[in-house]
Every structure is written in C-alpha cells, then in structure tokens.
C-alpha cells in the first residue's frame, strides 16, 4: 500500500481536572504519507505528548477520527487493538524509565518478540542484530540499563521500537535529554534508519533547530491547536504565524540585521482557561483589535502551507507584512543537506 499512512481529523483530547475538564488538544488534523517524516513542534504544554498518547491509543479521545494503515484506528478495542498495536511504536524522551532495571538490555529487547510469538532463540538473534545496528556491540547488550549512558539507552529504545516492524515510529523528545553532540548522533541514526527501512516518523520536539535535519513537513502547535503547517523549507524560510516567528528567533543566526527578532515572551496560558479570540494574542507582538475577539481561520499561503492568523493573507500575497523573509542559519542548512 502506498499513499497516506495516517489521517487524523478533528482530534480533541480532554483531561479531567478536579470536577471539570481541560481540552489539551483541540480539533487537530494530521496527515502523514508513507515514508515521510512529520515534526510536531511547540513549547512545553502545547499538547504534543497528548497527541502522541492519543495516536498510541493510550489516552481516550473526546472527538475525532483516526485512520491508520488502513484501519479505523480510533475504534479498535480489546484483542484486535492488542494485535495491531505493534504497527505504531514509540521512542520516549527517557528510554531508561521504560526499560526494566532488572533486565539486561538484550532481554528487554528480545521479550516483546517472544510475546508476539517468535521462538526465543530467533528473537535473541534478531534483538542482538538490531542492537548492533543501532550501535550497541554485544558486550554492551549484556549490561543493565543503569550501566548505559543516556545516548545508549535511547539506542536501545530505537532498537526495540524497530524490531516490531512498525509502520509509524513516534519519537517524543527522543533526543531532548541528550547533550548537543549526542543529539546529532541519535538524529543521524534515525535519519539513516529511515532511509534504510523506508520508515515513517512523527517527530515531536520543542526544538525548532532540529527540524531541517529530521523532518519533511512540520505542524506548529500552540495551546492545543495547529497555528501553522507546511513543508519545513517553506515554514523556516517564510514563517507566517507570529508564534512560529518567535520560535525561530531563538535560532542563533535567525533574522539578520534589519529583520524582526521577537522571541516569544511570557508563559503559555492554562488550557483550562484559553484566551478568547486567537489563543496567542496575549503574547503576540503584532496583535490587533480583532485578535482578542475573533478566532482566526486557517489561511492557505502556498500549496501545503497554511497559518491561522488574522494578519496572514492568502496565496496571492504570500508573505505576512509583519514578517520579513527570514534566513535560516547557513550552518543548519549545510548540515541538513549533508
Ligand atoms: N494527566 C494530565 N492531567 C491533566 N492535565 C494534563 C495531563 N497531562 C498533560 N496535561 C496538560 O495538558 C497540556 C498539554 O500537555 P502535553 O501534551 O504534555 O504538552 P507537551 O508535550 O507539548 O509539553 C498541558 O497544559 C498539561 O499541563
Ligand atoms: Mg511532551
């Protein structure tokens, strides 16, 4: 099967808080083609992990539909869900906490295969090969999780995820806890594995600097809603939403002399009590009157590039007047191309 792997429409996810509820993800659409890598970015608290939890069927959804790999994913339950779960695998931020501390890592990686019905001996061999592929030589495979570094534990998590032959790999801040040089190593490994195996990624991160390395397209999430989406190239070169522009301004060489460099000020509001109108308006450096009263529509600015902002005009005038063309740091581009 080719074409679309994942189609999510109108996904909303609530958490119960006290006697009320909080909508952490509000009417989100996600499209993912086979073999593509889609990033979801946004500050902490924007709802990224909640989207992952809903996709992985670990959190109940309040609304929406999910079609995944030809299955009506949101409706699967019980035994059929357990049988199909392997199709979507997860690499968390802190793989250490998802590994049993009492097991040698090779056993941790072997076990899901045995549970799925593979003979023990074959499962061990496959686990060992995969661990070697991600950079863990046999002596390291006999260690316990606490005897490995953070980067090595992330490698274990990647090996375990890939052994189930997933159609989709969701990485949630999978390199965020690592120092910068280790981040690059793990990102390179993910990029290689994707090319080698035709993997599809949903790559969740708060770090916009990772985008050119890891993703083809990006969704920018703010307080549970998509404020901009598009090809990474387009979004980095012509960010439309003031929030995206703010995130970009944190990059070292963004917005050279003469450009607008306005980092996002303040704190993300409580989703239990979202601002009226555009949810970003209290923090927006270019907000006008209607931003505090009218919820902006999503405006298409180019093919597969859109933003939800009153100041963005549609296709015939592709750049936001408040947004001069930005320049992505050349160091980022070079690395992304190499
Ligand atoms: N179990 C929970 N109960 C109540 N609120 C939660 C729970 N988990 C997350 N939230 C809230 O939902 C919002 C989105 O959280 P999350 O999806 O973790 O964001 P992100 O991954 O982008 O940091 C936040 O306001 C967070 O406080
Ligand atoms: Mg998170």
């Amino acid at each position: 099967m080719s074409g679309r792997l994942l189609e999510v429409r109108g996904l909303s996810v609530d958490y119960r808080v006290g006697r009320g509820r909080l909508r952490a993800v509000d009417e989100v659409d996600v499209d993912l083609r086979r073999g593509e890598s889609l990033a979801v970015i946004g500050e902490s608290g924007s709802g990224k992990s909640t989207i992952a939890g809903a996709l992985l069927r670990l959190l109940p959804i309040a609304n929406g539909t999910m079609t995944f790999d030809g299955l009506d994913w949101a409706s699967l339950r019980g035994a059929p869900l357990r049988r199909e779960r392997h199709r979507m695998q997860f690499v968390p931020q802190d793989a250490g906490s998802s590994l049993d501390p009492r097991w040698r890592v090779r056993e941790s990686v072997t076990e899901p295969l045995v549970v799925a019905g593979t003979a023990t001996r074959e499962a061990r061999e496959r686990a060992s090969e995969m661990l070697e592929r991600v950079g863990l030589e046999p002596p390291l495979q006999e260690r316990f999780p606490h005897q490995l570094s953070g980067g090595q534990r992330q490698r274990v998590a990647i090996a375990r995820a890939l052994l189930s032959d997933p159609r989709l790999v969701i990485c949630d801040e999978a390199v965020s806890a690592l120092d910068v040089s280790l981040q690059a190593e793990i990102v390179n490994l993910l990029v290689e594995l994707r090319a080698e195996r035709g993997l599809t990624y949903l790559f969740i991160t708060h770090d916009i600097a990772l985008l050119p390395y890891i993703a083809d397209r990006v969704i920018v999430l703010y307080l549970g809603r998509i404020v901009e989406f598009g090809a990474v190239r387009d979004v980095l070169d012509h960010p439309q939403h003031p929030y995206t522009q703010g995130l970009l301004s944190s990059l070292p060489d963004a917005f050279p002399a003469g450009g607008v460099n306005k980092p996002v000020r303040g704190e993300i509001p409580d989703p239990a009590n979202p601002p009226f109108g555009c949810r970003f308006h209290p923090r927006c450096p270019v907000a006008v009157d209607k931003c505090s009263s009218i919820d902006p529509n999503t405006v298409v600015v180019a093919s597969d590039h859109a933003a939800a902002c009153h100041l963005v005009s549609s296709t015939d005038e592709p750049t936001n007047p408040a947004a001069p063309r930005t320049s992505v740091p050349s160091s980022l581009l070079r690395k992304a191309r190499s």
Side-chain angles (χ1 to χ4, degrees):
M1 253 200 296
S2 66
R4 207 160 279 182
L5 176 69
L6 177 70
E7 190 176 295
V8 173
R9 290 291 172 272
L11 175 67
S12 297
V13 185
D14 296 340
Y15 290 109
R16 228 182 302 245
V17 277
R19 301 180 64 197
R21 67 178 176 84
L22 158 170
R23 178 144 291 186
V25 169
D26 192 27
E27 297 274 322
V28 162
D29 296 343
V30 182
D31 283 303
L32 202 41
R33 291 182 281 267
R34 279 171 209 277
E36 138 177 281
S37 176
L38 172 69
V40 178
I41 68 156
E43 291 163 288
S44 176
S46 52
K48 304 180 302 293
S49 296
T50 303
I51 291 179
L55 288 174
L56 290 158
R57 295 293 318 275
L58 301 173
L59 292 173
I61 71 174
N63 248 312
T65 60
M66 304 196 269
T67 308
F68 170 59
D69 206 19
L71 300 169
D72 180 357
W73 191 242
S75 306
L76 282 183
R77 296 206 157 38
L81 176 60
R82 281 195 294 280
R83 200 164 52 235
E84 308 299 348
R85 266 192 191 284
H86 67 94
R87 298 188 194 211
M88 204 186 278
Q89 290 291 321
F90 186 55
V91 180
Q93 169 165 355
D94 173 19
S97 62
S98 67
L99 295 170
D100 192 318
R102 297 160 305 175
W103 286 15
R104 296 177 193 278
V105 296
R106 189 166 62 125
E107 296 310 313
S108 281
V109 174
T110 302
E111 201 249 5
L113 287 176
V114 174
V115 170
T118 308
T120 308
R121 191 186 166 143
E122 190 198 330
R124 282 223 180 96
E125 273 166 26
R126 283 176 52 199
S128 194
E129 271 168 34
M130 185 63 82
L131 283 165
E132 232 174 308
R133 172 62 195 92
V134 301
L136 285 180
E137 299 298 323
L140 289 173
Q141 300 176 13
E142 300 307 320
R143 292 197 181 173
F144 293 96
H146 75 270
Q147 296 172 313
L148 296 178
S149 69
Q152 288 166 337
R153 287 197 292 259
Q154 291 310 101
R155 291 174 194 274
V156 174
I158 292 167
R160 195 160 66 161
L162 296 194
L163 267 177
S164 308
D165 195 21
R167 312 298 192 273
L168 174 62
V169 181
I170 299 181
C171 301
D172 188 357
E173 306 281 12
V175 302
S176 301
L178 306 174
D179 68 46
V180 173
S181 64
L182 267 177
Q183 283 194 355
E185 276 181 32
I186 301 294
V187 164
N188 284 340
L189 175 65
L190 289 168
V191 169
E192 277 171 30
L193 290 167
R194 178 182 164 210
E196 211 173 276
R197 289 152 203 259
L199 298 173
T200 307
Y201 290 148
L202 188 74
F203 193 86
I204 294 173
T205 179
H206 68 277
D207 186 358
I208 201 164
L210 292 174
L211 291 188
Y213 308 103
I214 196 74
D216 309 310
R217 285 167 58 243
V218 57
I219 283 174
V220 184
L221 201 66
Y222 184 75
L223 205 56
R225 292 208 181 147
I226 294 176
V227 295
E228 182 160 1
F229 66 84
V232 167
R233 191 66 298 126
D234 293 341
V235 172
L236 292 182
D237 282 353
H238 304 281
Q240 298 293 308
H241 200 284
Y243 179 62
T244 314
Q245 293 164 11
L247 293 177
L248 266 171
S249 74
S250 68
L251 292 177
D253 309 333
F255 302 96
V260 174
N261 188 345
K262 294 193 171 96
V264 188
R265 305 159 303 172
E267 299 280 308
I268 193 165
D270 181 357
N273 197 3
F276 213 67
C278 170
R279 293 178 166 207
F280 186 59
H281 87 263
R283 302 173 73 189
C284 183
V286 292
V288 295
D289 275 355
K290 63 178 167 185
C291 302
S292 57
S293 53
I294 305 169
D295 210 352
N297 290 323
T298 300
V299 181
V300 175
V301 292
S303 75
D304 200 32
H305 185 188
C309 171
H310 288 303
L311 298 179
V312 170
S313 41
S314 60
T315 336
D316 25 314
E317 217 187 308
T319 31
N320 176 352
R325 195 194 153 117
T326 61
S327 128
V328 174
S330 49
S331 54
L332 273 183
L333 288 180
R334 264 197 310 279
K335 281 199 83 174
R337 287 199 195 102
S338 63

